Amino acid sequence: VYLNKAAVFSSLGAARLSQLALGCSVVAMVSHSAGYSGGSYGVFCMAVWCACFGMTTVVFFLDATRLHACLPVSWDNLTVAFAALATLMYVTASVVYPVYFVRAECPYGGCEVRNFRIAVTVCSIAGSLAYGAEVILSRAKPGRVVGYMATVSGLLKVVQGFVACIIFGALANGTEYSRHVATIYCVVVYAVCFAMTTVVVILTVSGRTGCLKLPFDRFVVVYTLLAVLLYLSASVVWPVFCFDRKYGSPERPSSCPRGRCPWDSKVVVAVFSFVNLALYVADLVYSQRIRFVTQNPA
């Protein structure tokens, strides 16, 4: 049997078919009438929907034809990592698109465009749930052998990388971080932690964790502890050098343009620094628990 019936006739298959149907609907409605020409935010949303739809099509095709066995990757780790990332991307697009494109009143051209945009938002939210369902179905459960990316620690790696991308986006929006050596240090911390998280995900997805000179679980624990310490320092240093009166401004300048205000970007960086710190702490706790469970029988 060359075709994998479970790719269609299973809970996981149903989730992926829902993703394809909703993704196709979103892309079609946006291209047809809803539109996305409101600047970089619209382009971002359309890029998210198109990329996720394209990748989901590839995943479904490879799973249905069993051709994924020919790829030099850990298939289970790859699919759950993509589903987790797609969930986060879809949630972001589901928030950004209605904020910038949906209005209560109808535009001069009538209510058709507004209704299409509302439908896009609804389908995008449903798509987020479909990708989230795949993550839940693939997640590690007691007594079930799964890849590392299906564990809480693996899923947290995806969220950490996503949050780091939000921080980088805010940094690129004129945070003036180059004014102080301390804030430059914070940017280095964000970059180093993001790079290491990316390396962990790539090694896991590619099935190359055995290439490390030390056990993978120990490597993850050591790296996560280092990331906690680095993010803890950055979470303290960044607010001090951005909002203390000696170095910055504790209040938002009244003349700061809405949407392009460096002070707003600094707040975003500060908030998501604490978010990622909490994620790394949770990751460290869960990694220690995993290690304890695997060593306990011995």
Side-chain angles (χ1 to χ4, degrees), residues 113-132:
V113 173
R114 186 203 63 177
N115 295 340
F116 266 105
R117 290 178 175 178
I118 293 175
V120 166
T121 303
V122 172
C123 287
S124 184
I125 294 173
S128 305
L129 298 177
Y131 282 107

Side-chain angles (χ1 to χ4, degrees), residues 85-204:
L85 179 60
T87 301
L88 296 172
M89 298 295 286
Y90 251 79
V91 168
T92 304
S94 300
V95 173
V96 171
Y97 190 80
V99 167
Y100 287 94
F101 290 89
V102 177
R103 297 289 181 270
E105 66 278 0
C106 295
Y108 63 88
C111 294
E112 181 181 359
V113 173
R114 186 203 63 177
N115 295 340
F116 266 105
R117 290 178 175 178
I118 293 175
V120 166
T121 303
V122 172
C123 287
S124 184
I125 294 173
S128 305
L129 298 177
Y131 282 107
E134 180 176 349
V135 174
I136 294 173
L137 291 171
S138 304
R139 189 172 59 85
K141 298 178 179 64
R144 178 184 173 190
V145 179
V146 294
Y148 171 74
M149 295 306 300
T151 66
V152 173
S153 182
L155 294 173
L156 283 173
K157 292 291 187 296
V158 178
V159 183
Q160 292 159 7
F162 181 78
V163 172
C165 289
I166 296 177
I167 292 176
F168 292 140
L171 288 171
N173 194 28
T175 53
E176 303 171 345
Y177 63 85
S178 60
R179 293 175 58 183
H180 306 291
V181 175
T183 50
I184 294 176
Y185 161 78
C186 294
V187 176
V188 172
V189 167
Y190 303 141
V192 169
C193 292
F194 175 74
M196 290 301 297
T197 300
T198 304
V199 168
V200 170
V201 173
I202 291 176
L203 287 175
T204 306

Side-chain angles (χ1 to χ4, degrees), residues 200-269:
V200 170
V201 173
I202 291 176
L203 287 175
T204 306
V205 169
S206 63
R208 298 291 187 270
T209 56
C211 298
L212 299 173
K213 298 296 183 181
L214 69 161
F216 180 69
D217 57 346
R218 179 171 297 182
F219 169 77
V220 169
V221 170
V222 171
Y223 145 68
T224 307
L225 175 60
L226 178 62
V228 168
L229 296 176
L230 290 173
Y231 256 94
L232 179 60
S233 64
S235 299
V236 173
V237 170
W238 181 269
V240 170
F241 280 83
C242 288
F243 306 117
D244 187 86
R245 293 187 184 276
K246 183 178 179 180
Y247 306 103
S249 172
E251 298 178 356
R252 189 181 191 276
S254 57
S255 60
C256 210
R258 185 177 180 84
R260 294 184 178 180
C261 182
W263 193 88
D264 294 342
S265 298
K266 292 175 183 178
V267 172
V268 172
V269 172

